[in-house]
Amino acid sequence: MQKANNQMTIESTLLEKTFHLSEQGTTVKREILAGLTTFVSMAYILFVNPSILGAAGMDKGAVFTATALSAILGSVLMAFLANYPIAVAPGLGDNAFFTFSVVLGMGISWQKAMAGVFIASVLFTILSFLKVREIVIDAIPKDLKLAMAAGIGIFIAFVGLQGGGLVVASKTSLVEIGSLAVPTTWLTIFGIFVIAILMAKKVPGSIFIGLVSTALLGLITGLIKMPVNIISLAPSMKPTFGVGISYLPSVMDPQMWAVVLIFLLVAFFDTAGTLIGLAQQAGIIKDNKMPRIGQALMADSVSMLAGSVMGTTPTAAYVESSAGIAIGGKTGLTSLTVSILFVFSMFFSPLLTVVTNQVTAPALIVVGVLMASSLREIDWGKFEIAMPAFLTIVGMPLTYNISYGIAFGFLTYPILMFAAGRRKEVNYIMWILLFVFVLLLYVLNIVPKS
């Protein structure tokens, strides 16, 4: 008994020295509980990411393992480098752009697209190390950052509505409501209501619980086939590992320049905004400054680079970390706990077979709602801001391409601000980005595919 108590004291002292728990006014128990809450809130990505990237032709089992490993690496780095209670995993916006804009929209193979992700990851890591990332992020107006988040959210929700059968193609009006006579569509409806009710009741892990509930209903009703096994070793990453590197020569294709640029830009803005919001919630920001921001961005960069080698799209700080922070998570022990739970989750890959489009659709729709909430902070009272923001938001779902939405906003913002007599408020970097996006649109639409 005494030996066990001594062991616990040593472990507590080690955790205290590593994460400075007492200094942050927290405890080991509270941090572990916060980590568990965050993990349950974001565990859906283990099944949603393979589903989305699987639509691009990638091996779902390999993507499952790559997703878990990149989340483990990112969260561990965030824990020890930055000591932040913020988990990292492949982002939903990035995987949606990869599949629906690049592979299905532009007709680029997933292997070539992964090469683009790898190049963007290398550039991203270099730019983070040189602190260029902070400079560019600061130059982008807040309203456009908010519009990008909202636009990606609406786009993701649209993908969910399609995958769940609630919205289908129409020859006369492009889209229309799906048939309610299709049994699987009701799985989606069921999942939406379960998640929405749980979210309204502020239940931690609402999305994950809704995903599990929808899959169980599908199994009970026979709409989803029962898996052969539940537990097994993690699938091999052989189908995706290193593919991006082997296809590096394809980056010479001018269309791939646009792919690299968009991945770089989306990764640029995604984590930064989330980090700031979560750090504010956790009380990390002091005197309007975020300590160890460089280390946090480096953790994100390295995990993104590793993920591109293993076979998944860019990682990002997860907004679901707010669930763990809300119950007291303040240090890297929270994110370390998340990474440990992702290790155990790797043994449940057979459950991928029960996570159909109708099961993941409600999660996509609800995440879209959460991301679209940034609309309320945009300054709609000034037309020179409202127009670029609106074009950014609607451009993504209506062109079924995230890159076009971003381009519409970046092309119109500097010009309208100049016309409104507010040119001094436009950073010179925004003018540079205007020409970058003119080139991007030219490459995407005029330069012939190789």
Side-chain angles (χ1 to χ4, degrees):
M1 183 70 178
Q2 183 64 38
K3 185 177 180 180
N5 288 334
N6 290 338
Q7 181 66 29
M8 289 178 64
T9 302
I10 293 172
E11 291 174 354
S12 297
T13 302
L14 179 62
L15 292 174
E16 171 63 38
K17 287 182 178 180
T18 305
F19 300 110
H20 310 288
L21 303 176
S22 57
E23 182 183 326
Q24 297 297 327
T26 186
T27 64
V28 173
K29 181 180 178 180
R30 189 183 302 163
E31 293 292 301
I32 292 176
L33 182 60
L36 174 62
T37 303
T38 295
F39 172 78
V40 172
S41 298
M42 64 182 290
Y44 65 86
I45 194 62
L46 282 168
F47 304 103
V48 174
N49 198 44
S51 176
I52 292 178
L53 296 186
M58 297 183 69
D59 182 276
K60 290 185 178 182
V63 173
F64 174 89
T65 304
T67 300
L69 288 176
S70 60
I72 292 167
L73 177 63
S75 298
V76 165
L77 290 174
M78 192 66 76
F80 290 106
L81 292 182
N83 196 22
Y84 283 175
I86 298 172
V88 175
L92 272 179
D94 298 303
N95 57 18
F97 170 70
F98 180 95
T99 295
F100 301 107
S101 295
V102 179
V103 178
L104 300 181
M106 297 170 62
I108 293 174
S109 70
W110 72 264
Q111 292 91 340
K112 290 175 65 176
M114 195 55 69
V117 173
F118 176 76
I119 292 294
S121 301
V122 171
L123 294 174
F124 186 65
T125 304
I126 294 172
L127 293 176
S128 295
F129 182 76
L130 297 176
K131 297 186 177 181
V132 174
R133 186 178 175 187
E134 293 97 311
I135 296 173
V136 175
I137 288 172
D138 289 342
I140 308 299
K142 177 184 177 182
D143 295 281
L144 281 188
K145 292 175 186 173
L146 295 168
M148 288 170 61
I152 292 173
I154 294 172
F155 179 85
I156 289 174
F158 185 43
V159 170
L161 289 167
Q162 283 185 303
L166 289 170
V167 171
V168 297
S170 169
K171 292 182 179 179
T172 56
S173 58
L174 296 182
V175 293
E176 63 183 12
I177 189 170
S179 172
L180 297 181
V182 178
T184 52
T185 301
W186 285 98
L187 278 181
T188 301
I189 296 172
F190 171 80
I192 291 172
F193 275 102
V194 169
I195 296 175
I197 291 170
L198 292 175
M199 292 286 289
K201 293 175 71 65
K202 296 180 172 56
V203 176
S206 300
I207 294 176
F208 183 72
I209 295 171
L211 188 149
V212 172
S213 300
T214 306
L216 287 175
L217 178 62
L219 291 170
I220 293 170
T221 57
L223 295 174
I224 298 175
K225 292 182 179 179
M226 189 72 68
V228 178
N229 299 306
I230 294 178
I231 299 176
S232 74
L233 293 176
S236 169
M237 288 191 297
K238 186 176 180 180
T240 61
F241 189 86
V243 170
I245 297 175
S246 64
Y247 273 75
L248 281 179
S250 65
V251 178
M252 299 306 293
D253 180 353
Q255 279 210 322
M256 289 300 296
W257 304 347
V259 174
V260 171
L261 177 62
I262 291 297
F263 271 124
L264 193 59
L265 288 173
V266 171
F268 237 81
F269 309 133
D270 198 2
T271 292
T274 305
L275 275 175
I276 292 170
L278 293 173
Q280 190 76 51
Q281 180 190 1
I284 295 172
I285 295 179
K286 306 293 183 184
D287 301 322
N288 203 35
K289 291 185 178 180
M290 191 170 170
R292 306 181 301 282
I293 179 65
Q295 291 93 318
L297 293 175
M298 186 55 65
D300 178 45
S301 303
V302 174
S303 60
M304 175 179 171
L305 181 58
S308 69
V309 175
M310 291 186 286
T312 185
T313 43
T315 54
Y318 256 62
V319 71
E320 285 82 2
S321 300
S322 62
I325 293 172
I327 65 169
K330 291 187 176 181
T331 74
L333 182 54
T334 294
S335 46
L336 178 62
T337 301
V338 173
S339 67
I340 293 171
L341 291 171
F342 267 111
V343 171
F344 288 111
S345 71
M346 293 178 68
F347 296 99
F348 293 91
S349 61
L351 294 178
L352 278 171
T353 58
V354 306
V355 184
T356 63
N357 286 339
Q358 291 75 29
V359 174
T360 57
L364 295 177
I365 294 166
V366 172
V367 169
V369 173
L370 298 176
M371 295 182 72
S373 64
S374 61
L375 286 167
R376 67 178 181 272
E377 299 180 48
I378 297 174
D379 188 358
W380 296 106
K382 296 181 174 62
F383 188 80
E384 62 272 21
I385 290 175
M387 181 73 170
F390 178 78
L391 290 177
T392 298
I393 294 162
V394 302
M396 294 182 188
L398 294 185
T399 63
Y400 214 69
N401 193 307
I402 293 170
S403 59
Y404 288 149
I406 296 175
F408 294 164
F410 279 66
L411 288 172
T412 53
Y413 180 83
I415 295 172
L416 293 185
M417 288 291 284
F418 183 87
R422 301 174 62 183
R423 64 181 182 278
K424 292 183 179 179
E425 298 178 43
V426 182
N427 193 295
Y428 73 93
I429 291 176
M430 287 301 296
W431 290 105
I432 294 175
L433 289 175
L434 183 152
F435 290 104
V436 167
F437 275 98
V438 167
L439 176 62
L440 181 144
L441 289 176
Y442 172 78
V443 170
L444 286 178
N445 293 279
I446 300 176
V447 175
K449 298 178 184 179
S450 61

